[in-house]
Amino acid sequence: MATLREYFDADFSFAVRVHVDFPLKTGGDVQGVILYDFAGMKSFLACYVPDHSAPIDQFLEIIRSLEYGKTQVKFRGQVTLPNTRFFPGQLEVKHDNPLEIRAKFFDDPAWTSMKEIDASRRIFIYTESQLSEAEVIQLKDEGKTLGHDIQFRSVRHAAQRAKGERPLAFISHDSRDKQDVARKIALHLQRLMCPVWYDEFSLNVGDNLRDSIERGLKECKKCILILSPQFFANKGWTKKEFDSIFTREILEHSQVILPVWYGVTSKMVYDYSPALLNVKGLSWTDLGEDEVCRLLSRAIFEPES
């Protein structure tokens, strides 16, 4: 359901992600993350190449520029902590020079430093470019010669994964709330291993828009409504989606709607639909992204009564 970029951002949710740029010998930088798996005591590298038409020579240059113990990566000032569902312990991050990250698992009195974790030779390359099978084999063989274990993930990888991911929640939103709320929820839930129907993830060029949306509305276990002044003012798709979701609740005698309030008051919600006030909503402003998504995930995975 996600794009390759979303998979790059969401994969390895069990690990601490240190966002870096690493230099190429021929000039320029490649965007990547060093992933620290404190449970497995291994670190590994993943990088993202956005170019849709990068030749194999560009990928060969990437792996040839990586020399263990010599490559000086540039810390981008961002650390992403692992999903709490997969990390049963505490983490301590000190943005000093050099960066220090320590972890301690529940019921274990000892702290483990990132410096104690061994570096593996595994490198994940995510790219919008498509190489032929022969070119991927060439890249992997060159990697072995240099001491790397290359895993290549292109848009074909994303397409194959999407086939097996049935979305659990439909995200209904006004397009003006996409960047500030909808996309953040979609990405965050993906990181929580909760696939969603979200237009950027779920619609391909040439898809029938109405058929795809109606299928998502019918098949998803829950429907997240991002209630905002923009949503209420939209008399087009969002109104049709709301009517469909509300009708489904009546038909199935179940609670499908999960409202997220974004800049709205009880009066505004009541004026739009009095019945919506009977459904507990989550305030984006009061709770923040992490807590809203945690509670949404819990509601989505909650077994049916």
Side-chain angles (χ1 to χ4, degrees):
M1 297 306 298
T3 64
L4 190 78
R5 175 68 209 213
E6 271 80 50
Y7 281 126
F8 173 74
D9 289 335
D11 282 351
F12 314 115
S13 56
F14 57 85
V16 176
R17 302 168 67 95
V18 177
H19 298 254
V20 298
D21 291 318
F22 59 88
L24 299 178
K25 290 181 177 178
T26 55
D29 293 327
V30 174
Q31 181 185 147
V33 287
I34 300 175
L35 297 120
Y36 291 90
D37 177 5
F38 279 90
M41 291 297 288
K42 287 289 184 182
S43 66
F44 52 99
L45 176 70
C47 63
Y48 176 73
V49 179
D51 193 338
H52 285 74
S53 57
I56 186 173
D57 289 347
Q58 184 170 335
F59 300 104
L60 290 171
E61 174 60 24
I62 290 173
I63 64 174
R64 289 167 182 165
S65 296
L66 288 170
E67 298 181 78
Y68 296 100
K70 297 181 181 179
T71 304
Q72 297 298 310
V73 297
K74 305 171 188 174
F75 177 45
R76 303 179 70 196
Q78 181 182 357
V79 175
T80 302
L81 300 182
N83 178 351
T84 54
R85 290 178 61 204
F86 303 113
F87 192 86
Q90 298 172 268
L91 284 162
E92 181 180 85
V93 180
K94 293 182 178 179
H95 285 272
D96 297 330
N97 190 12
L99 174 72
E100 169 65 340
I101 303 172
R102 299 197 309 160
K104 181 173 71 170
F105 292 98
F106 296 138
D107 209 29
D108 185 340
W111 286 88
T112 301
S113 169
M114 62 187 288
K115 299 171 186 174
E116 301 173 55
I117 295 180
D118 293 330
S120 78
R121 299 301 174 102
R122 189 76 152 155
I123 299 172
F124 293 84
I125 298 177
Y126 291 74
T127 178
E128 304 296 337
S129 297
Q130 295 193 56
L131 299 184
S132 68
E133 184 175 309
E135 288 175 322
V136 174
I137 292 173
Q138 179 186 347
L139 182 65
K140 291 173 74 70
D141 287 344
E142 176 79 5
K144 286 181 182 178
T145 301
L146 297 169
H148 307 310
D149 181 1
I150 304 297
Q151 177 68 51
F152 188 79
R153 297 185 170 182
S154 70
V155 288
R156 285 194 299 267
H157 171 89
Q160 289 297 316
R161 284 178 67 171
K163 290 180 180 179
E165 292 183 354
R166 178 176 177 269
L168 298 178
F170 183 99
I171 301 180
S172 178
H173 66 288
D174 182 90
S175 60
R176 289 163 290 185
D177 298 321
K178 182 181 298 293
Q179 199 63 32
D180 291 337
V181 186
R183 192 171 191 274
K184 290 180 179 179
I185 290 177
L187 279 174
H188 203 125
L189 290 178
Q190 289 283 138
R191 288 195 294 271
L192 295 175
M193 308 302 288
C194 178
V196 298
W197 196 106
Y198 172 61
D199 55 7
E200 286 184 36
F201 296 175
S202 308
L203 291 174
N204 298 313
V205 174
D207 282 353
N208 184 298
L209 181 62
R210 178 176 177 178
D211 288 349
S212 183
I213 289 175
E214 288 185 350
R215 186 167 60 253
L217 287 168
K218 290 177 182 177
E219 294 178 357
C220 290
K221 181 181 176 183
K222 298 289 186 180
C223 294
I224 299 168
L225 295 183
I226 300 177
L227 304 179
S228 71
Q230 291 76 236
F231 184 97
F232 293 156
N234 189 326
K235 304 304 180 184
W237 275 112
T238 57
K239 185 65 170 67
K240 290 182 174 65
E241 288 172 2
F242 174 75
D243 291 342
S244 296
I245 297 166
F246 196 74
T247 301
R248 180 181 159 190
E249 280 204 341
I250 296 173
L251 180 66
E252 297 181 0
H253 303 287
S254 62
Q255 183 182 330
V256 176
I257 295 173
L258 300 175
V260 175
W261 290 26
Y262 178 56
V264 296
T265 64
S266 299
K267 178 68 163 57
M268 294 166 69
V269 175
Y270 177 83
D271 288 343
Y272 184 78
S273 171
L276 269 178
L277 277 182
N278 289 327
V279 184
K280 179 177 174 55
L282 301 173
S283 171
W284 183 263
T285 303
D286 294 341
L287 298 175
E289 177 185 337
D290 289 349
E291 183 64 5
V292 166
C293 291
R294 185 187 73 81
L295 293 172
L296 286 174
S297 174
R298 189 171 72 178
I300 292 166
F301 284 114
E302 191 174 69
E304 301 286 352
S305 55

